[in-house]
């Protein structure tokens, strides 16, 4: 069922429609201090649907009474919804609603510590009493067997136990108890853990919300293990399919579990206006990644590699003002930067990318720079540890004699390794060039003849012998001229840096760790040298 709800007008110029349409729920994502609680309060007191809103505050007491007594259902409902009931009142909606902000929220709807666990239990037991009484009366009148009702307390028990399979809820006449499955020893639910009590509370509040209402939940993940989020809210939403759920959260993992929900990013509240926008569903990057970037207050730098790789640690040190996000392949980095920056008018965040040079030619490098994706001055990030200045700094730190001679030995060895792998270098560059040409093939044609002509033109342009020989000759020129820095720009061999340690009389593979240790101990000169060979990100 499609539901529509109006939001407050957004100060974000790109969000020109304040009506949100959803077939599921709505998740509002915002950092701490962005105004989530105030937006929740706006729905409850200023929106067009305020009378249908039941809001569950992030600031709530989990003190659970040991026992309660049922009252009339109208009284229990009014006390839970509005914090107020008057036996002498005409009991109209307006009579109650006028007292809601003062009685339920003590005139501080955004910050008051909501303390209504006792009212929730009174409502549940009053409802349970009414249902059982109605069942008894109908059974006495009926000549056939009538199925007993499934009350709200029954539903809470079923959902709660499905989430906590090692526990059992015991519903007694005026109290709730719990015990371990298979145990005879029970204890009052007031002694349950915060997580156990909050699960009961959230299920109860949602099941008791008005029919066809709007349930606003501030920080739905609070006190809950991440593994329970999806199961809990799926179960509750299934039971209350008549209601629209609006979640207010800063937890990106929670937001990403709400697969079908409309996502809203709340940038800020300036005291009079909310700055929010609907997150497009056609973003060309994974939603969980997009949400993570939106949640960052820093500029974002997408890089190749994986979490825990050299790339991440190194770029974190060199670009401390950025959130570093590894994405694996260079193509993924390029596409994510392009897609994210297309939407920069909405979220104000700026993203950049750094990818390995590999075998990219100058035209390719210039082309991706237009999208704020850059390449360093070496084939791959590992080569930064082979810079002459870095080698010299490590030698000096280790107090090795005749550093100049040692560095020359290392450089000669790297050059000899490039010489040994020069045919592979030429082959790999040729393969890369062919793949690039094939990926850029324009297959649009109206006839088979046109397509055949385009294909033949492409084959003519791909001269494997010419590409290979040109690359090999270039490599041999660099080797003869001992052009060490240019070789680092061409030599694509991740394993070579793991052999350098032998020149420093340390374990060969320990060299990179040694460099990082020196940097962490405060040797900023190495970082400065590395920065000289990395993109400046001028617009950052």
């Amino acid at each position: 069922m499609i539901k529509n709800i109006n939001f407050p007008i957004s100060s974000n110029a790109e969000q020109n429609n304040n009506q949100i349409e959803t077939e599921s729920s709505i998740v509002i994502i915002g950092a701490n201090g962005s105004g989530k609680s105030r937006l929740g309060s706006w729905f409850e007191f200023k929106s067009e649907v305020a009378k249908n809103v039941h809001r569950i505050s992030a600031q709530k007491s989990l003190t659970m009474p040991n026992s309660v007594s049922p009252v009339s259902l109208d009284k229990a409902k009014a006390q839970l919804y509005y914090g107020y009931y008057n036996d002498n009142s005409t009991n109209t909606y307006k009579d109650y609603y006028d007292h809601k902000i003062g009685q339920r929220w003590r005139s501080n709807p955004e910050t008051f510590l909501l303390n209504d666990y006792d009212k929730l239990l009174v409502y549940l037991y009053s409802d349970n009493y009414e249902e059982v009484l109605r069942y008894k009366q109908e059974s006495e009148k009926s000549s056939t067997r009538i199925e007993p009702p499934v009350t709200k307390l029954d539903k809470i028990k079923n959902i709660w136990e499905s989430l906590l399979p090692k526990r059992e809820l015991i519903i007694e006449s005026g109290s709730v108890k719990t015990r371990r499955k298979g145990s005879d020893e029970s204890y009052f639910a007031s002694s349950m853990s915060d997580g156990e009590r909050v699960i009961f509370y959230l299920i109860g509040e949602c099941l008791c919300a008005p029919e066809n209402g709007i349930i606003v939940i501030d920080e739905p993940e609070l006190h809950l293990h991440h593994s329970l989020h999806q199961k809990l809210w799926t179960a509750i939403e299934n039971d209350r399919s008549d209601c629209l759920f609006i979640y207010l959260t800063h937890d990106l993992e929670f937001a990403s579990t709400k697969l079908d929900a409309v996502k809203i990013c709340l940038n800020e509240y300036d005291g009079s206006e909310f700055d929010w926008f609907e997150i497009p569903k056609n973003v060309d990057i994974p939603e969980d990644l997009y949400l993570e970037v939106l949640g960052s207050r820093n500029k974002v730098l997408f890089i190749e590699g994986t979490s825990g790789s050299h790339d991440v640690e190194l770029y974190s040190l060199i670009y401390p003002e950025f959130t570093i996000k590894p994405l694996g392949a260079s193509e993924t980095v390029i596409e994510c930067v392009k897609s994210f920056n297309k939407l920069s008018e909405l979220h104000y965040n700026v993203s950049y990318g750094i990818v390995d040079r590999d075998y990219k030619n100058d035209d390719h490098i210039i082309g991706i720079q237009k999208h704020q994706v850059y390449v360093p001055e070496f084939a791959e990030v590992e080569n930064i540890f082979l810079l002459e200045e870095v080698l010299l700094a490590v030698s000096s730190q280790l107090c090795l004699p005749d550093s100049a001679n040692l560095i020359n030995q290392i450089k000669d060895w790297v050059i000899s390794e490039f010489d040994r792998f020069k045919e592979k270098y030429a082959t790999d560059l040729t393969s890369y060039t062919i793949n690039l040409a094939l990926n850029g093939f324009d297959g649009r044609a109206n006839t088979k003849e046109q397509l055949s002509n385009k294909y033949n033109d492409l084959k003519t342009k791909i001269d494997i012998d010419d590409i290979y020989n040109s690359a090999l000759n270039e490599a041999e020129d660099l080797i003869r001229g001992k052009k060490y820095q240019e070789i680092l720009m061409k030599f694509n061999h991740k394993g070579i840096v793991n052999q350098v340690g032998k020149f420093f009389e340390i374990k060969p593979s320990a060299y990179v760790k040694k460099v990082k240790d020196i940097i962490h101990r405060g040797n900023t000169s190495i970082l400065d040298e590395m920065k000289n060979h990395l993109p400046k990100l001028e617009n950052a």
Side-chain angles (χ1 to χ4, degrees):
M1 180 174 63
I2 297 176
K3 303 179 181 75
N4 296 304
I5 184 169
N6 286 335
F7 273 57
I9 299 297
S10 175
S11 61
N12 191 310
E14 299 298 317
Q15 183 64 44
N16 52 25
N17 179 21
N18 71 316
Q19 185 175 83
I20 299 300
E21 181 180 285
T22 178
E23 295 184 30
S24 178
S25 53
I26 297 173
V27 179
I28 299 169
I29 307 131
N32 290 328
S34 60
K36 296 189 300 298
S37 295
R38 294 190 180 277
L39 182 55
S41 178
W42 182 91
F43 281 117
E44 188 175 15
F45 293 105
K46 297 181 181 179
S47 69
E48 298 171 1
V49 293
K51 67 179 182 179
N52 294 321
V53 171
H54 185 62
R55 182 164 63 98
I56 303 171
S57 172
Q59 306 297 324
K60 50 185 172 281
S61 169
L62 295 178
T63 302
M64 192 174 185
N66 285 337
S67 62
V68 294
S69 298
V71 298
S72 73
L73 197 55
D74 285 342
K75 181 176 182 179
K77 186 182 296 185
Q79 288 180 331
L80 177 64
Y81 292 170
Y82 313 110
Y84 172 81
Y85 179 79
N86 185 346
D87 289 322
N88 299 320
S89 167
T90 55
N91 295 334
T92 64
Y93 165 75
K94 189 176 186 308
D95 290 334
Y96 293 141
Y97 190 76
D98 288 345
H99 291 276
K100 186 176 185 180
I101 194 167
Q103 297 296 323
R104 186 170 196 247
W105 297 107
R106 296 293 188 269
S107 301
N108 293 299
E110 294 90 7
T111 58
F112 178 67
L113 180 69
L114 187 60
N115 188 1
D116 65 346
Y117 218 137
D118 57 338
K119 296 180 178 64
L120 171 63
L121 285 175
V122 168
Y123 181 99
L124 288 169
Y125 271 92
S126 300
D127 170 79
N128 194 75
Y129 179 80
E130 291 277 347
E131 290 291 329
V132 172
L133 183 60
R134 184 181 299 113
Y135 168 69
K136 181 177 181 296
Q137 292 170 343
E138 290 177 357
S139 295
E140 290 174 351
K141 295 177 183 178
S142 176
S143 59
T144 59
R145 183 180 183 276
I146 298 176
E147 288 295 322
V150 179
T151 68
K152 291 180 174 62
L153 275 174
D154 293 327
K155 293 178 180 179
I156 293 173
K157 174 179 169 67
N158 292 337
I159 298 174
W160 192 92
E161 290 180 350
S162 72
L163 296 169
L164 302 167
K166 295 183 179 180
R167 298 282 181 182
E168 181 182 4
L169 272 185
I170 306 166
I171 308 299
E172 296 184 342
S173 60
S175 63
V176 178
K177 293 182 178 179
T178 187
R179 65 186 173 201
R180 287 184 176 276
K181 282 282 180 69
S183 173
D184 293 329
E185 295 184 13
S186 63
Y187 51 89
F188 283 110
S190 58
S191 298
M192 293 191 299
S193 68
D194 283 352
E196 291 169 333
R197 275 179 288 145
V198 81
I199 290 172
F200 186 104
Y201 178 83
L202 293 173
I203 301 169
E205 286 279 345
C206 293
L207 265 55
C208 292
E211 291 184 11
N212 302 308
I214 295 164
I215 303 175
V216 177
I217 307 103
D218 199 347
E219 295 192 26
E221 72 287 345
L222 199 63
H223 298 298
L224 293 175
H225 192 277
H226 282 120
S227 63
L228 295 176
H229 290 168
Q230 189 168 7
K231 289 178 64 178
L232 171 65
W233 292 109
T234 298
I236 293 175
E237 285 189 37
N238 286 341
D239 193 273
R240 293 307 311 267
S241 57
D242 59 307
C243 292
L244 170 63
F245 285 74
I246 299 177
Y247 302 97
L248 304 161
T249 184
H250 63 264
D251 190 313
L252 300 174
E253 184 173 343
F254 170 82
S256 66
T257 66
K258 306 302 294 177
L259 301 178
D260 298 324
V262 171
K263 307 295 194 316
I264 303 293
C265 180
L266 179 60
N267 285 320
E268 65 176 353
Y269 174 67
D270 65 5
S272 60
E273 292 183 302
F274 292 96
D275 180 344
W276 62 270
F277 66 91
E278 182 177 355
I279 299 173
K281 289 190 175 181
N282 59 345
V283 179
D284 297 328
I285 58 178
E287 185 181 68
D288 57 346
L289 173 61
Y290 189 66
L291 293 177
E292 183 175 345
V293 173
L294 287 180
S296 171
R297 290 296 179 98
N298 296 331
K299 293 168 286 189
V300 180
L301 178 60
F302 294 114
I303 63 170
E304 287 189 64
T306 57
S307 297
S309 65
H310 293 319
D311 312 50
V312 177
E313 186 172 1
L314 186 63
Y315 288 135
S316 296
L317 291 169
I318 293 174
Y319 300 103
E321 70 276 23
F322 283 82
T323 294
I324 310 297
K325 187 63 185 174
L327 297 179
S330 63
E331 293 81 5
T332 308
V333 173
I334 294 168
E335 289 306 312
C336 281
V337 173
K338 288 165 63 176
S339 296
F340 193 80
N341 286 338
K342 281 180 186 176
L343 302 168
S344 60
E345 296 86 357
L346 290 174
H347 50 63
Y348 310 139
N349 291 46
V350 179
S351 71
Y352 298 83
I354 294 181
V355 296
D356 288 345
R357 180 175 290 267
D358 292 323
Y359 305 100
K360 297 176 180 66
N361 58 36
D362 290 343
D363 288 341
H364 191 178
I365 291 171
I366 292 171
I368 63 176
Q369 281 180 352
K370 294 176 182 177
H371 302 291
Q372 298 183 170
V373 180
Y374 303 91
V375 299
E377 294 180 7
F378 28 78
E380 55 194 11
V381 70
E382 285 79 4
N383 286 5
I384 199 169
F385 296 98
L386 299 174
L387 289 169
E388 185 172 353
E389 299 87 349
V390 175
L391 296 170
L392 190 59
V394 174
S395 176
S396 175
Q397 188 74 26
L398 297 176
C399 300
L400 297 176
D402 199 0
S403 293
N405 181 53
L406 176 64
I407 303 310
N408 285 331
Q409 287 181 45
I410 297 173
K411 290 168 61 178
D412 288 342
W413 173 74
V414 171
I415 293 170
S416 70
E417 287 294 290
F418 185 53
D419 187 25
R420 191 160 69 90
F421 285 95
K422 62 187 178 185
E423 287 84 4
K424 186 176 188 312
Y425 161 75
T427 302
D428 288 346
L429 187 145
T430 303
S431 175
Y432 182 88
T433 305
I434 293 171
N435 283 328
L436 196 63
L438 292 175
N439 288 334
F441 175 60
D442 181 5
R444 290 174 295 181
N446 294 321
T447 66
K448 179 183 176 183
E449 183 180 2
Q450 288 179 350
L451 185 61
S452 180
N453 290 336
K454 283 190 173 186
Y455 174 66
N456 290 328
D457 288 343
L458 179 66
K459 287 197 300 182
T460 302
K461 293 176 182 177
I462 302 176
D463 188 329
I464 293 179
D465 288 338
D466 182 61
I467 299 169
Y468 178 87
N469 291 330
S470 176
L472 187 61
N473 290 336
E474 179 187 36
E476 289 175 340
D477 286 344
L478 295 178
I479 293 164
R480 278 194 300 270
K482 292 191 172 184
K483 297 178 180 179
Y484 181 72
Q485 184 59 46
E486 292 182 50
I487 287 173
L488 293 184
M489 192 180 293
K490 305 289 183 182
F491 197 7
N492 226 318
H493 182 14
K494 292 185 181 295
I496 195 169
V497 74
N498 292 326
Q499 303 177 52
V500 176
K502 61 188 178 184
F503 291 93
F504 294 99
E505 299 179 359
I506 59 176
K507 185 179 178 180
S509 59
Y511 170 69
V512 170
K513 184 177 185 305
K514 181 63 67 175
V515 175
K516 292 177 182 176
D517 288 343
I518 293 172
I519 293 173
H520 286 302
R521 285 200 294 266
N523 189 329
T524 57
S525 63
I526 293 181
L527 272 183
D528 291 339
E529 292 297 342
M530 289 179 168
K531 288 178 182 178
N532 291 334
H533 298 273
L534 285 167
K536 298 294 188 292
L537 305 182
E538 298 292 346
N539 296 325

